[in-house]
Amino acid sequence: MSELWALFLSAAFVDNMPLTLFLGLCTFLALSKRPESALGLGIAMTGVLGVTVPLNWLIYEGLLAPGAWAWAGMPELDLSYLALIAFIGVIAATVQLLEMLLDRFFPAIHAAFGVFLPLLTVQCAILAGSLFMVERSYSLAESAVFGLGSGLGFAVAVAILGALRTRLAYADLPAGLRGLGIAFVLTGLMSLGFASFAQMAVTP
Amino acid sequence: MAARFDIWSTLTEPLVRQNPVTLQILGICSALAVTTSLATALTMSVSLTVVLTLSAILISLIRRHIPETIRLIVQIVIVASLVIVIDQVLQAYFAGISRALSIYVGLITTNCLVLGRTEAYARHNAPFPAAVDAFGNGLGYSLILLFIGGLRELFGRGQLFGWQVLPPADAGGWFTPLGLMLLAPSAFFLLGGLVWAIRSFQPAQVEAPEHTPPADARSVE
């Protein structure tokens, strides 16, 4: 249990997706102009990552991994090169399904961040979650914890940046630095701060 | 003659004036992650330009046959197939660099730059202009990657493409490597500075302030 907790913390803070691994930066910068939309994006990310990573684990281990078809008399079959297409398909389907479910049962939540959901299909951080899961050969429980942790880390980072950018109203910036430029500098400073988490050792 | 001029401007526009990374915020993830050395930056640039150009040509060729409702899925599948090919080629012939790039080659699939160009341009244009536009955007992306990759490798290790350019202090030279250049924050700072520099020369790109203080802010003070 404590090992899972350590994995959760390291996924959320030590290997923070946008700040240390540069993943999902496009939406990270584009949707952090206001704290409300930033928070909506963070919640949507946590939900989608938490669902797609374990789902892709099932598909990878059950259908694509080397030797997954041994029961059918084809132990040599290695379909792992198809992982990319399969993962993208699963992610697109999950996002679509999630959107339909939310629309049907929780219309208020759907209205709150419905705009961001379709965007998440082409979010690098979400695909990266599944690819890391394969690269680091997690188990099913680990992949679920990893997905939730990464999503939460993303949510924390994007909410902080959203709040910081609102405060820029009081800053007298040079014209060329306004908008994207200062967003990069802020992200860099946050990244410096999150770098201190690298020293964080969770003892099981 | 006019047509040739158009092709030229389609090709050169994305290099600085409409640069996909610094102006349109497309494809930043990979731009920052792979720029700790020039070799990985170059590999990534070439892979992305190839994928982008080929997918633009393919999508442009079948643009009249893709149903509007499922076009995103079709585009993603085409891009993903091309990325798998590139990934397998890299693994086969450049195993070291392929390991260094880790999952970032696979992430070309969801690079907003690729889908952005196929969605915005290739879907409405004939194959040749689409290819030129994609190639130009690929070059603009590569330019940024190589610039940042070069700076980070030069100041972080004193090397360019793995060759020692600046003599390091512990081998009798004068150069002390800046470890920070190889860490994540410096990539953000460099790109922020680059955006600032470009916008100083291209004032048209300057953004309006995102937030304005409330009207009574001064009276509160």
Side-chain angles (χ1 to χ4, degrees):
Chain A
M1 187 61 210
S2 53
E3 269 171 32
L4 288 183
W5 177 238
L7 179 66
F8 180 82
L9 284 182
S10 91
F13 295 109
V14 183
D15 284 335
N16 188 282
M17 278 203 165
L19 296 178
T20 30
L21 300 174
F22 308 106
L23 293 168
L25 277 178
C26 310
T27 31
F28 183 73
L29 292 171
L31 289 178
S32 59
K33 286 185 181 161
R34 314 217 157 260
E36 309 88 67
S37 58
L39 206 60
L41 173 71
I43 296 171
M45 282 289 294
T46 315
V48 175
L49 266 172
V51 173
T52 54
V53 177
L55 202 60
N56 277 332
W57 185 88
L58 289 176
I59 288 181
Y60 184 80
E61 292 295 318
L63 297 175
L64 302 175
W69 290 84
W71 54 271
M74 292 181 280
E76 318 266 274
L77 197 60
D78 176 4
L79 293 177
S80 53
Y81 64 91
L82 283 179
L84 205 56
I85 286 196
F87 290 170
I88 277 285
V90 169
I91 291 170
T94 314
V95 170
Q96 191 73 51
L97 205 66
L98 204 66
E99 198 183 359
M100 278 151 49
L101 283 178
L102 281 179
D103 193 23
R104 174 72 182 79
F105 296 109
F106 308 99
I109 301 180
H110 180 254
F113 57 81
V115 209
F116 313 122
L117 273 178
L119 283 177
L120 295 186
T121 315
V122 286
Q123 235 275 16
C124 12
I126 296 192
L127 182 63
S130 298
L131 291 177
F132 273 133
M133 173 268 293
V134 171
E135 202 183 68
R136 302 173 184 171
S137 35
Y138 287 137
S139 70
L140 179 59
E142 279 171 341
S143 58
V145 168
F146 173 74
L148 280 177
S150 319
L152 191 80
F154 191 98
V156 169
V158 80
I160 295 178
L161 185 65
L164 281 176
R165 287 180 81 171
T166 321
R167 303 293 296 173
L168 287 181
Y170 300 98
D172 186 16
L173 294 170
L177 207 53
R178 244 181 259 149
L180 188 58
I182 193 67
F184 273 125
V185 177
L186 281 178
T187 317
L189 289 172
M190 284 173 60
S191 171
L192 266 184
F194 270 68
S196 60
F197 285 123
Q199 310 295 325
M200 184 171 73
V202 185
T203 43
Chain B
M1 200 63 195
R4 204 172 139 234
F5 181 72
D6 272 347
I7 290 166
W8 182 244
S9 71
T10 317
L11 185 67
T12 52
E13 229 13 33
L15 291 187
V16 178
R17 276 165 54 81
Q18 291 287 328
N19 189 286
V21 180
T22 58
L23 181 66
Q24 307 175 26
I25 334 188
L26 293 176
I28 299 171
C29 329
S30 51
L32 293 175
V34 300
T35 49
T36 46
S37 74
L38 260 181
T40 49
L42 183 68
T43 318
M44 191 67 186
S45 308
V46 173
S47 318
L48 184 113
T49 311
V50 170
V51 169
L52 184 56
T53 313
L54 288 180
S55 57
I57 294 174
L58 283 176
I59 287 166
S60 166
L61 278 175
I62 57 168
R63 69 186 185 281
R64 294 187 210 287
H65 304 286
I66 306 178
E68 194 74 2
T69 40
I70 57 161
R71 63 169 199 278
L72 273 182
I73 300 279
V74 173
Q75 290 173 3
I76 290 181
V77 169
I78 290 176
V79 175
S81 323
L82 288 168
V83 171
I84 290 177
V85 172
I86 293 277
D87 195 25
Q88 300 278 322
V89 169
L90 285 181
Q91 277 178 22
Y93 296 104
F94 305 94
I97 288 183
S98 167
R99 259 195 303 282
L101 283 173
S102 168
I103 63 163
Y104 289 96
V105 175
L107 289 180
I108 296 180
T109 320
T110 49
N111 194 312
C112 352
L113 179 52
V114 179
L115 273 182
R117 287 331 289 174
T118 56
E119 178 74 10
Y121 199 91
R123 202 157 61 82
H124 309 290
N125 287 282
F128 185 62
V132 172
D133 171 78
F135 190 63
N137 275 285
L139 285 185
Y141 173 88
S142 312
L143 208 63
I144 303 285
L145 243 73
L146 293 178
F147 182 74
I148 295 183
L151 277 182
R152 286 179 78 182
E153 194 180 352
L154 184 65
F155 291 112
R157 290 203 201 89
Q159 299 174 338
L160 283 178
F161 283 114
W163 289 96
Q164 201 71 43
V165 182
L166 307 173
D170 51 3
W174 50 269
F175 177 71
T176 312
L178 297 166
L180 182 66
M181 288 305 260
L182 298 177
L183 299 178
S186 73
F188 288 114
F189 293 142
L190 280 176
L191 195 50
L194 191 62
V195 170
W196 189 6
I198 289 180
R199 289 184 182 184
S200 308
F201 292 107
Q202 304 273 344
Q205 293 187 5
V206 170
E207 294 171 45
E210 285 161 9
H211 301 280
T212 42
D216 56 347
R218 214 163 281 274
S219 61
V220 172
E221 286 166 16

